[in-house]
Amino acid sequence: QCFTTDGFADNRIKVKRRAIRLLAYGDSLTAGYYCRGRRFAPYAKSLARQLTSHYNAEVWMCGLSGLTAEELVEKQDRKAISDASRRRGPGLRYLLEKAPAFDLALIMIGTNDFASRLDDPQSIVEDVKKLHEICHDRNIPTVVLSIPD
């Protein structure tokens, strides 16, 4: 999904320069999963709404519910990955190669890994780092996001 400031902004705020392009990528926390996957409220939509008073921005979101960092590393080149909510989204590398360039990537991932790899937290960290490196290889800075309060 892509949330642009066009949907929220007052037209007087719009600037004729290129929009700042942000990518929010991760698991169900990024997707905004709730009501057992029948509804979604992604933080990317709120972020886009907040940016409208200051910037011309696009906030793209790909949240794949139920997937682990390990799975997203393995599936980074796929055009479509199915998630636990029967929604689909691209692998990170595929997305970065096909979409116009992003100025920043926000990555929130790793919580699902704890269910299967709690005894090996270092491997979880390594997989999260690999996702960031995919962005860094394309000169896209990243931010690590943790579980929201």
Side-chain angles (χ1 to χ4, degrees):
Q1 287 182 302
C2 178
F3 304 103
T4 66
T5 51
D6 290 344
F8 306 114
D10 180 329
N11 285 333
R12 293 171 295 179
I13 297 170
K14 292 193 76 148
V15 182
K16 291 187 178 188
R17 61 186 163 175
R18 182 181 74 81
I20 295 168
R21 302 191 72 241
L22 305 176
L23 172 63
Y25 196 86
D27 57 21
S28 59
L29 295 174
T30 300
Y33 176 102
Y34 75 102
C35 287
R36 296 185 174 147
R38 292 189 304 266
R39 304 205 57 198
F40 294 86
Y43 76 84
K45 187 172 184 177
S46 297
L47 178 60
R49 184 177 289 119
Q50 294 301 316
L51 288 172
T52 59
S53 62
H54 303 287
Y55 304 100
N56 181 16
E58 294 178 3
V59 181
W60 289 53
M61 184 278 299
C62 180
L64 296 162
S65 301
L67 274 83
T68 62
E70 180 179 35
E71 291 171 311
L72 290 178
V73 168
E74 291 170 2
K75 299 174 181 182
Q76 63 185 284
D77 294 312
R78 291 200 184 167
K79 181 178 181 178
I81 302 168
S82 295
D83 73 4
S85 298
R86 298 187 181 136
R87 293 168 46 140
R88 295 166 60 96
L92 182 57
R93 180 174 288 153
Y94 181 89
L95 174 61
L96 296 179
E97 288 175 357
K98 300 298 180 185
F102 291 100
D103 297 297
L104 180 68
L106 310 169
I107 300 177
M108 186 185 322
I109 189 70
T111 54
N112 294 322
D113 295 78
F114 284 108
S116 60
R117 300 191 298 167
L118 188 57
D119 60 334
D120 189 11
Q122 188 58 40
S123 67
I124 298 170
V125 170
E126 291 304 316
D127 285 330
V128 171
K129 284 171 58 177
K130 287 175 186 174
L131 292 169
H132 285 265
E133 288 167 2
I134 292 167
C135 296
H136 298 164
D137 289 345
R138 285 155 186 77
N139 297 315
I140 301 168
T142 60
V143 175
V144 176
L145 298 181
S146 68
I147 301 169
D149 287 340

